[in-house]
Amino acid sequence: MQRINFKKFNSVGYFCLGASAVYCLIFIIYSFYWLISPYPNEYREFANIDITRMFLEGKNPYDTVNIPPFFYVYGFVVPLLTSWLYSLISFIHIDMLLFQRLIALSGTILCGWISAKEVKNQTNSIVYAFLAFSITLIVGWSMGLCVALPNTLGVFVMLLTLYKAKRIKTITDICGVSFLTILSFFIKQYFVIVCVPVFIWLLFRSKKQALYYVLFSIFCFICAASFINYLYPAFFSIAIVHHLAIASHSLSHLIKQLAVTGLFYFPLLLLFLLVVYNRYKNISGKIIISFNLGKDRNSPLIKLSEMPDIYAISVCVYFIVILRLGMHEGAYMTYIYQLFIPVLAIYTLSSIDILKKDKLKNVVLIGTVLFSLYHIGLFINIPREMNDREKSEWESLYKILDVDKTKGVQIYSPLLAKYAWDNQLPVWNNGQTEYISTLQNSSVISHIFPEANKIALKNRDWQLQLHQQISTFQIPVIITDNLSFLTSSFLKQAGYCITDSVSLKAGTTPNYTVYRWIPCQVRN
């Protein structure tokens, strides 16, 4: 193991190391807070537990027999892996929610590790590596830390793909990168975008390698898709058709996120521009494009005097992608933190030594710590701990449900799905159940994704049956919230009245209001 020579650090180096260490300590403390919280850290967090539960029980989550009320729009790799690991340690009797949060936290640490490893390999600087590690930890944020989501492992596979692609030497290496690329899709769909910077970078390296990468990726996807479509017949209908159908877009939502990124990451963005300018300012007039696949097939398609870095290409590609994905109103800063910031940190910190002026370099480093690092650490990741009143709201609702669970209560708030599962009650809304209704029956879709229409028709019948039960007062107690697909206006029109309403805190989002409904005639 190489020893760290602290004598070669200047005051700025010590400052960055100390600041990063303090930040990591803050991260550890508050990760523990989020980790052991008995309450949801995010509104739809239980959906990931629900699909893991399905795997543990030997059920097929992508069989229309189980849909609805079960529904899950992300990839199956992380829940399947989690169920396998959970079964291995079943003798410990660890809570499923806690275990899945540990998996998510492990993914965050792995993302920080691979970022630091890449920067350390390129700069041999522990300061830059530690700073990259600290900045990359933001990938674990989704309205709070340690949320039971597949995001962090998806980011890790994406970064691992870039890391391996940069070191391609043999056909076996290309096959491995192709495998990781396709694997990223089955973790969470949008991570497959990593194929774009990899392909573009290979065009600057070798036409043959770029062609092999495309062919191997297509072959890998066809093989995987054939097997998965047989094993999980509804997967692609859900992962593609339904996932696209649920997205709502807003330009103002994108602008708000870009403003936050520009305000708090401007030192890194400035550093990126300075590095790109200094590295490529003399590149004009030296571009050679060769489409010849004959004798020079090992040569690049586009030959430049300065070979572009794969992370620089990723920064540009992901920024363009964010201009589209960032309009998705269902996610705030998610795509920026998971796609853009990690590659931005890796590229800028690994290339900072190209700046010849030490004063400029020091100013940018200090700015990165004060803005990019501590904004995240002090204003986003650190939660305001629940006060006694907020905890009492949860506990008071649990006491009400303890009585109602013997009366045939049906819970349609995903905030209380974990309570329903713990008390052997049916889970009627896991947080993604309402997404089923976004897709309408379509003859065009039925030819490509036949399972999509089956799901849409089953959901229609399920909704009609549910409405019939409500209209005839067959459900004695109904629990909803202000985002539930069972709306207050419908329940009031059906003859139900609110007996209790409770404001619940979950993660860093504004409080949710949960309602308890009973037939008005019973109340009267």
Side-chain angles (χ1 to χ4, degrees), residues 15 17 44 110 130 158 196 200 211 215 224 235 239 288 296 332 341 363 379-380 401 417 438 465 469 483 493:
F15 172 76
L17 271 179
R44 307 184 196 280
L110 286 172
F130 204 1
M158 178 195 76
V196 179
I200 293 175
L211 180 61
L215 294 177
F235 172 77
I288 302 173
D296 65 340
Y332 177 72
I341 296 303
V363 168
F379 294 98
I380 291 185
L401 293 175
T438 58
Q465 183 181 6
Q469 290 176 340
L483 297 182
Q493 187 177 3

Side-chain angles (χ1 to χ4, degrees), residues 43-51 53 69-72 411-415 417 427-435 485:
Y43 181 74
R44 307 184 196 280
E45 187 177 31
F46 185 79
N48 304 278
I49 299 173
D50 206 18
I51 184 173
R53 172 184 63 86
F70 172 83
F71 201 63
Y72 187 78
I411 299 173
Y412 289 90
S413 170
L415 294 169
V427 176
W428 297 105
N429 182 4
N430 65 13
Q432 297 186 11
T433 302
E434 61 226 48
Y435 290 159
F485 63 86

